[in-house]
Amino acid sequence: GKSMQEQLRFAVCYWHSFGWAGTDPFGDPSFERPWHGAGEPMAQALHKADVAFDLFRLVDTPYFTFHDRDVAPEGASLAEFHTNLRRIGEVFARKMQDTGVRLLWGTANLFSHRRYMAGAATNPDPEVFSYAAAQVKNVLELTHELGGANYVLWGGREGYETLLNTDLKRELAQLGRFLQLVVEHKHKIGFKGQILIEPKPAEPTKHQYDRDVAAVFGFLREHGLEHEVKVNIEQNHALLAGQTFEHEIAMAQALGIFGSLDMNRGDELLGWDTDQFPNNLPQVALSLYEVLKGGGIGQGGLNFDAKLRRQSIDPDDLVWAHATAMDLCAQALLVAERMLQDGALQRHVQQRYAGWDGEAGRAILNGERSLEDLARDVAERGLDPRPRSAQQERLEHLVNSYL
Ligand code: GCO
Ligand code: MN
Ligand code: MN
Ligand code: MN
């Protein structure tokens, strides 16, 4: 059959692998990569692209992902940035042709530069909104030209620190307008990829508008975009929102907006977006089980939004981390498939809700029974339901038998 890589549509991200230099709030760069030092920016970007595609081939990834700023030098103006981006885009197109590596999604960095310190679409200054719009137009078009399967919008600094200087209602309206413009342009240029919002709470702003799947869905509904935009769900972000990855996946599926996965691992108790490589088999298996139950990964994929720890400074560490993470996810997929094929879990769920498939249950859901009808049913039929065990411990233990 199809390789695991293809089945899960693995992607390697450009920013953590080649952008991040091992800095933290207290420390300077710890990685010594040629393109992090001084040098002619375009020459460095081209060198970085060579190394990137070498890694893609080494770990045999079918897809990659990038931000505009990861791949091309900023230059002195947006026009210059655009020219640089086009040039790298041509290099990518050639390398993609040569290697067969495809683009899972592109995205614009609307959060690193200080012009975005008060947000992009939600900025109090409409000129910043316009600048962000111009930036997204460029990357969306490039993503389209490179045959990208999706386009991601992570709400970088779309949020606020204090209400004392913030008009929350206006900012939400601005964000809605921004998203509508992106969707309009997608249709105008004929991009068939899926637009995805990536929810995240608490970082970088205290109150992120797109904090979790449910919040994003409410927002999409408010702006009539629930059939146009889906979500890219990240493990770390789900934890930060006080959810689990599985929960966010299941919620997105239930609401019809499941799109794609950013796979990584956060520390449950330390609660920060550390973007570590996934390394916990049961955890990944449970999330892939939810994905499979809901019909699979579709045109999304499994993007390793993961970075090396600051002390893993050997270039080989990067290869090792990706290769082992892919192997882990492939194993987890086998576990998830066993869980699904065996069927014991789903049979339990089916039995648990069986009453709703009967005549009485269906009549309630179809709107055929009023509160008065139900009260009469209870009285006439002398209903006195007996509580049943949910068998939680048994089922949780059963999961171990699939590992
Ligand atoms: C994070 C986010 C980002 C986004 C990426 C896409 O760690 O805060 O996951 O990495 O995925 O920037 O825009
Ligand atoms: Mn992410
Ligand atoms: Mn993250
Ligand atoms: Mn990330």
Side-chain angles (χ1 to χ4, degrees):
K2 267 202 295 181
S3 74
M4 288 291 188
Q5 265 99 328
E6 287 287 344
Q7 240 172 297
L8 284 172
R9 297 162 63 90
F10 286 148
V12 171
C13 80
Y14 218 92
W15 54 99
H16 285 317
S17 301
F18 312 107
W20 190 60
T23 52
D24 72 12
F26 305 95
D28 296 337
S30 62
F31 297 150
E32 287 172 354
R33 307 280 193 264
W35 53 86
H36 289 150
E40 202 278 303
M42 188 45 98
Q44 292 192 329
L46 291 169
H47 181 48
K48 197 156 72 162
D50 287 341
V51 176
F53 275 80
D54 283 349
L55 176 80
F56 300 162
R57 290 314 300 145
L58 263 176
V59 301
D60 199 18
T61 187
Y63 290 93
F64 76 111
T65 55
F66 73 90
H67 298 79
D68 50 358
R69 266 189 57 148
D70 309 331
V71 300
E74 292 245 359
S77 64
L78 188 61
E80 207 180 309
F81 184 34
H82 186 44
T83 306
N84 292 342
L85 190 63
R86 303 297 316 173
R87 210 171 136 205
I88 291 290
E90 281 161 24
V91 172
F92 279 1
R94 214 179 43 242
K95 286 180 178 294
M96 289 166 71
Q97 181 83 44
D98 292 347
T99 58
V101 177
R102 287 154 285 160
L103 179 61
L104 185 64
W105 45 263
T107 186
N109 179 324
L110 306 178
F111 45 89
S112 292
H113 195 280
R114 66 198 290 267
R115 79 174 62 86
Y116 294 127
M117 67 186 178
T122 60
N123 201 289
D125 180 354
E127 288 187 7
V128 178
F129 182 105
S130 302
Y131 198 100
Q135 209 180 315
V136 168
K137 176 181 178 287
N138 292 341
V139 200
L140 182 59
E141 287 171 2
L142 179 61
T143 300
H144 177 43
E145 282 161 38
L146 294 175
N150 303 278
Y151 182 84
V152 162
L153 293 146
W154 168 53
R157 294 181 193 277
E158 312 295 18
Y160 66 93
E161 307 296 336
T162 171
L163 283 175
L164 297 176
N165 66 9
T166 302
D167 188 335
L168 185 147
K169 191 172 173 190
R170 258 183 205 274
E171 292 199 356
L172 288 176
Q174 288 170 215
L175 195 53
R177 190 69 205 118
F178 194 85
L179 206 53
Q180 277 159 349
L181 291 174
V182 174
V183 168
E184 254 170 57
H185 195 65
K186 163 198 157 147
H187 291 304
K188 186 159 180 204
I189 64 176
F191 177 53
K192 295 281 175 281
Q194 179 65 54
I195 305 279
L196 303 170
I197 288 186
E198 180 174 329
K200 176 175 181 179
E203 185 193 65
T205 78
K206 232 194 261 185
H207 299 275
Q208 296 279 124
Y209 294 128
D210 297 334
R211 74 177 316 281
D212 63 5
V213 169
V216 169
F217 184 70
F219 180 81
L220 293 176
R221 280 285 280 265
E222 173 74 10
H223 296 279
L225 293 169
E226 71 272 25
H227 302 300
E228 290 283 1
V229 179
K230 293 188 157 97
V231 284
N232 180 40
I233 304 173
E234 177 172 320
Q235 197 269 359
N236 270 210
H237 302 180
L239 286 190
L240 285 183
Q243 316 282 16
T244 60
F245 198 24
E246 302 90 273
H247 168 86
E248 289 289 84
I249 293 167
M251 182 62 85
Q253 287 168 337
L255 297 170
I257 58 167
F258 175 74
S260 196
L261 300 176
D262 264 12
M263 182 62 81
N264 49 30
R265 174 171 190 187
D267 288 314
E268 289 77 350
L269 296 174
L270 293 178
W272 203 244
D273 187 24
T274 48
D275 291 336
Q276 299 170 53
F277 278 90
N279 55 18
N280 183 313
L281 181 64
Q283 190 183 66
V284 178
L286 287 181
S287 33
L288 293 182
Y289 177 60
E290 291 307 320
V291 172
L292 292 185
K293 261 201 304 181
I297 204 85
Q299 81 182 63
L302 193 157
N303 176 47
F304 292 98
D305 188 352
K307 60 171 178 274
L308 292 174
R309 316 277 29 97
R310 186 166 180 260
Q311 298 173 63
S312 305
I313 58 174
D314 293 341
D316 279 356
D317 290 336
L318 195 59
V319 179
W320 189 90
H322 278 99
T324 49
M326 286 178 175
D327 194 51
L328 177 92
C329 292
Q331 280 184 54
L333 181 64
L334 292 175
V335 174
E337 282 172 349
R338 283 199 288 278
M339 289 168 71
L340 201 66
Q341 275 156 18
D342 182 62
L345 291 163
Q346 291 210 283
R347 270 195 303 281
H348 175 79
V349 173
Q350 203 199 341
Q351 282 162 13
R352 193 159 180 241
Y353 294 87
W356 288 101
D357 298 328
E359 211 183 302
R362 285 208 311 270
I364 296 173
L365 286 186
N366 293 343
E368 290 161 23
R369 313 300 288 157
S370 68
L371 271 191
E372 284 166 342
D373 294 333
L374 294 176
R376 201 174 329 109
D377 289 348
V378 170
E380 282 174 5
R381 292 163 55 198
L383 298 185
D384 186 9
R386 298 243 311 266
R388 292 172 296 154
S389 169
Q391 299 195 15
Q392 192 170 330
E393 292 81 357
R394 284 165 205 256
L395 296 174
E396 283 167 352
H397 187 70
L398 181 61
V399 168
N400 293 324
S401 70
Y402 301 109
L403 293 177

